[in-house]
Amino acid sequence: MASAPGAEPDAEGAADTEEAIYEEVMPCDRMELSQRLAVDELITTEASYVHNIQLCVSDIRAHLQKKQLPDLDLEGLFSNTDDILHVSRRFLKGLEATATQGHDQLLCISALFQEFKEEMETIYKIYCASYDHALLLVESYCKDPRLQAEILDTLKATVPHTGVSDLSFFLVMPVQRITKYPLLLGKILENTPSSASARPALQAAVHAMTQLNANINEYKRRREVATKYTKAEHLTLRDRLARLNTHSIAKKTTRLSRLFMHEAGIVAKTEDREYDDLEEKFQYVVSSVAALKENVASYLGHLEAFLLPTPHKCELQMEEGPAQQYRRFAQHLHHAALPEFKRRLDRLVWQPLCSLSDMLVGPQQLVKKRLDKLLDYEEIQERKSEVGSVTYEEEAAMNTYLAINALLVAEIPRFNQLALQLLGQIVCSLSALQRDLAAQVLHQAEKELEQMPHGRMPLPSFWKMMEDTLQQLGAQLRTFCQTFETVTPSPVTLPLNPAEERKVLSLVSKHGPDKLYQVTSNISGSKDLDLTLQRGQIVALLQSVDTKGNTSRWLVDAGGPRGFVPAGKLQPYCLAQSQQPGMQMPALESSAERRRHSCASLQAPRPQVATFTPAFQVVAGFSFAARSPQEVSLQAGQPVLVLEPHDKKGSKEWSLVEVNGQRGYVPSSYLLTVPAQEPVGWSLPV
């Protein structure tokens, strides 16, 4: 390819120029002339290089940015060319300044390279490590006709004199330049007499630039190793099983046994105090980011829940006053202050926090992989001490551990520092947002407060007014509660037909009166074991849950069939005791009822509950002699009162009864239901 304008001088042209000059000078001056030409070449090519980097940054990249192509990764393409341009400009300025130093020019050039060595290494190793990725991007863009056309249009518009059709022409320049510094200095050194005072300084500069390139290559190799292990892999169980083979299983088994020996104290751990301290600080950063992310997520969730209810949207049947002012204040919070605060919180806190959390994934995986490689390294070292040599694969495994460890030791301090700075900025942003929200809410509240009647009231008077108001409202609430407790609504019962009355008697004898419920509306069974019942039917409650633990479906006895019905369609069936002497209430009055009866001034007239008289009664069909304190004796024909038609375990073979004031269990088969001789007992509603 022909040399483009602005590119570095052609080597053959420079050689022809030197040969032509050599013919015109004395042989003794040729070395000095070659030295001067080599210095001129260093300065001239540096100026050309800076000019091309300037074109790359200011023209090409800026032109592509204006196009706003979403598929074009400009950061991946140009990496840190801004830093390279900044350092190269200063370096060129220093080189050009050496031209006025006369015989000390070579010493100044050598000192200049030594001065910029660390700064060059820092910026060029970042660029060189990402150069392969930039080439992959260029290759992918060449396969996209639309992107390739946009790139060609940019090159023709910004650098038409070069005639290039590919971004790689400019992207390779920093890589070429950093590798050429040792050659340019070496050429100057070759033409410097051994007796010259600048020769040792030039030798040190050549060595520094050679070492710089070696360090860049080593850093690039470490980055390649790290990239292999920091890629997030989302593998299914099938993919993980497919990766298993004899080699991987043996390697994992060796690592696990080595780890167990470490924990058991059989084998000493390899201690690296420097790395351990760095990793400890890194884990603190990881836990801090995770905790803050969890707290901010919870805070956002609570904020969204707070914004859901909108009581201010309801029409308040009130005239202008404090209620309407509160409504306006709530509208301002829900429509302006809080939504804006949420948007700013998401943009300034949540998104940066998520980005920081994602940045931690790669280093975390590399730290984990470093432990695995350390176990391999220790195993190979132990084998090497026994055998005296290692295989090529084992040597590669040891180098992998050394590369990962060196990279972590070099990069974790900078990563921790940057992560802590970003974390601190996020916390400061959160604090600032909270402060702004509080100031905005306070300002709006003060505006509304000025319009209220008590807005300018002194603070002690305001608190006195609030205390009196709360006491007055509390007294009204207590009076209302007392009235509500003393006035009990009369139970609503539906009339029963004769057949239903007989079924009620049977249910009372089996389950007791406290288990009775009346159906409030028609029930149509839609599932297995569901009952179909009519409004007004009486049932007895067996269980208040279904087989799945659902409390909205109850198991009932309908006087024959048993099944499940909706609990919401049942109401307790109240049975009142007949007003005949000798009968007792089945349950004692509660203390609350006694208090209500004692409050004559607040007592409401008790409702009249319909009663019924049973037509049957339970008697002992056979005599039974009690055999334990839990049982009770019976005489044949003796009337009994069935309390529970089962024992404590739910068995129907035994019933809890009351006979002559004594309670106990008797066999259920000894009891008979016969027509009542006298109309006593419970009354049916009329």
Side-chain angles (χ1 to χ4, degrees), residues 189-204:
L189 181 63
E190 289 177 2
N191 294 282
T192 301
S194 58
S195 59
S197 59
R199 187 174 180 85
L202 284 172
Q203 290 176 337

Side-chain angles (χ1 to χ4, degrees), residues 62-74:
H63 194 275
L64 290 174
Q65 283 177 337
K66 291 180 181 179
K67 290 179 176 291
Q68 296 183 353
L69 302 173
D71 298 330
L72 198 63
D73 183 7
L74 294 179

